[in-house]
Amino acid sequence: MALRPLEQDGTWGAKCRKEYELDEHGQRIRLPSGKYKSRRVNTTDWNDKRKAEQWRSAWADLCNRALEQKGLLERIDHRSYKRQSVEQIPTVHMGVAATQMERRGIPTEKGGVNREIAAQNKLLKEIKVQITRLYNWSKEQAAKPEERRSIWEQLQQAKASMPQPESRYGKVKALKESTALFNFLQSNGITSMRELYDKISAMNGDYYALRGEIVSAERQLAALNERLSLWKQYSENKAVHKRLSGIKPGMRDTFTEKHRAELILFDAAAKYFDELKASGEAIDPKKWRAEVERLTTHKDEQYQHMKAMREDIRAVEKIRKTADQLAKAETHRNQEHDR
């Protein structure tokens, strides 16, 4: 935001003012040069992050009132997923340059990261829907009187009562599916619906544990990457800030205006790190980079575990469909018998 205030007559005012630093007795601190120690103080708080929070909240309220007036169900929320308690991986901020490049069809690093995150969120959502459906189905089946036949025997009976594929491709596909189901049931020691329900319950717990770790890692990565980005911003503009302190007072305004963007970026980064240090945390970019590498590896491993769950989900989904077909066939036979 602009740092200069608007005066009553519509003109721009001074962006900052001099403020003398005082000692413990409330007296000005004299420097060896004979001058008094002072610092620059902004005359507006428009560039303060807390101000941005207020404006974003007000903007969300205005948008939601307009959406409600139009009879639309959509709503917006200015808060992060974490503050909303939404278990979803947040995308990274693109920025103006990257957004414009993406719109022109030029892939960017940040755009690639967001596409990967979108794919991860899609997978998390799909698996959640599938596991929830299978969990509810298996719970319902487990509550019924136990069948004498094993699940595998029931599946074989269902298969025998259904039309068999005639093409070579169809036969090979059916054999692969049957083998996969047999291996799934045998490797997990599943013979009854109760045991299948226990397996799906465990899968459900594994899903939420993995999702929690992935989302947590992504949030930590977002915070660390923000720090590293600000450290780069701080380092790149530090020399300009240093030059400013050595310039004569009469030339400071000219220099400040010429290097306005660099000084604003440096001040913003410096303020961030001052607050970080005040919270008791050390400024250690090397440690942050190592942690980013560790978290990225851990997140990718958990994501692969999540993808691997799809094989078990497919097997259980096939069991569900076959069991449903068998139940429908038996219901149909009973109805024919009653007639």
Side-chain angles (χ1 to χ4, degrees):
M1 288 296 298
L3 298 180
R4 293 182 183 275
L6 281 171
E7 304 293 356
Q8 291 293 330
D9 60 359
T11 59
W12 289 108
K15 69 176 72 172
C16 61
R17 58 183 173 79
K18 181 189 290 188
E19 184 177 271
Y20 291 103
E21 295 190 27
L22 307 177
D23 60 19
E24 64 272 17
H25 304 295
Q27 301 299 315
R28 294 182 184 182
I29 302 170
R30 190 181 292 276
L31 298 171
S33 63
K35 296 180 179 179
Y36 290 107
K37 189 175 182 180
S38 64
R39 60 171 174 263
R40 293 173 60 208
V41 178
N42 292 331
T43 51
T44 71
D45 61 355
W46 296 349
N47 217 37
D48 190 283
K49 282 188 176 181
R50 289 167 295 185
K51 212 66 174 177
E53 172 75 11
Q54 295 173 23
W55 291 335
R56 292 178 68 201
S57 176
W59 173 248
D61 290 340
L62 286 169
C63 287
N64 289 332
R65 285 205 294 271
L67 289 166
E68 186 177 4
Q69 288 170 2
K70 291 290 183 180
L72 300 172
L73 297 177
E74 292 87 350
R75 296 293 183 270
I76 69 170
D77 197 315
H78 69 288
R79 298 171 300 165
S80 66
Y81 288 144
K82 183 177 181 180
R83 290 169 61 191
Q84 295 179 60
S85 299
V86 174
E87 289 293 321
Q88 184 168 322
I89 304 171
T91 54
V92 299
H93 179 62
M94 290 283 288
V96 177
T99 300
Q100 290 177 345
M101 290 174 69
E102 289 283 342
R103 286 175 179 169
R104 294 199 297 268
I106 304 171
T108 64
E109 183 179 350
K110 288 183 177 179
V113 170
N114 281 343
R115 280 184 284 275
E116 182 182 347
I117 290 172
Q120 291 177 356
N121 280 328
K122 182 180 179 182
L123 176 66
L124 293 176
K125 185 176 181 180
E126 287 176 354
I127 291 180
K128 180 183 178 181
V129 170
Q130 291 170 333
I131 284 188
T132 300
R133 180 174 62 238
L134 293 173
Y135 176 82
N136 292 333
W137 171 78
S138 64
K139 184 178 181 180
E140 181 182 322
Q141 296 300 313
K144 295 179 180 179
E146 192 66 56
E147 273 269 2
R148 292 181 181 179
R149 299 165 297 169
S150 68
I151 290 181
W152 177 248
E153 290 172 336
Q154 294 177 57
L155 294 174
Q156 290 301 99
Q157 179 185 344
K159 181 181 176 183
S161 64
M162 296 175 192
Q164 301 300 309
E166 297 181 359
S167 67
R168 183 174 180 278
Y169 172 79
K171 291 177 181 179
V172 171
K173 182 181 179 182
L175 179 61
K176 287 182 177 178
E177 289 178 350
S178 182
T179 302
L181 284 178
F182 179 79
N183 291 337
F184 171 77
L185 293 171
Q186 188 179 53
S187 62
N188 289 284
I190 297 172
T191 59
S192 66
M193 275 295 177
R194 182 70 213 183
E195 290 169 342
L196 180 62
Y197 167 68
D198 291 340
K199 169 63 179 175
I200 298 173
S201 295
M203 289 168 60
N204 192 48
D206 290 343
Y207 164 77
Y208 280 102
L210 283 171
R211 189 182 75 171
E213 288 194 40
I214 290 172
V215 172
S216 175
E218 285 288 359
R219 285 175 176 164
Q220 292 177 68
L221 283 167
L224 288 167
N225 283 324
E226 181 188 15
R227 289 184 186 179
L228 289 170
S229 176
L230 284 165
W231 180 254
K232 181 181 178 183
Q233 181 175 308
Y234 176 87
S235 303
E236 289 178 346
N237 299 289
K238 186 176 181 179
V240 176
H241 177 78
K242 190 174 181 180
R243 284 169 57 194
L244 175 64
S245 61
I247 289 178
K248 296 178 180 179
M251 302 293 292
R252 289 175 69 91
D253 287 345
T254 302
F255 183 89
T256 299
E257 194 60 37
K258 183 178 180 180
H259 298 280
R260 179 173 175 271
E262 296 101 311
L263 292 171
I264 288 174
L265 290 171
F266 176 84
D267 288 342
K271 181 181 178 183
Y272 175 87
F273 290 118
D274 285 343
E275 292 174 353
L276 201 62
K277 283 190 290 186
S279 69
E281 187 157 349
I283 309 301
D284 193 344
K286 185 177 180 180
K287 181 181 176 181
W288 298 339
R289 293 188 190 97
E291 185 64 6
V292 165
E293 188 174 340
R294 186 193 71 78
L295 283 168
T296 300
T297 301
H298 176 69
K299 181 208 69 172
D300 290 343
E301 287 174 354
Q302 300 305 91
Y303 184 60
Q304 292 306 316
H305 289 322
M306 183 72 78
K307 291 175 73 174
M309 288 182 68
R310 289 186 296 188
E311 293 303 317
D312 284 351
I313 288 172
R314 289 191 188 102
V316 179
E317 189 65 47
K318 184 65 179 176
I319 292 172
R320 183 188 69 82
K321 289 180 180 179
T322 306
D324 286 349
Q325 289 172 339
L326 178 61
K328 288 178 182 178
E330 290 181 347
T331 301
H332 180 71
R333 283 197 298 269
N334 292 334
Q335 289 173 348
E336 289 293 323
H337 182 269
D338 291 341
R339 290 176 186 173

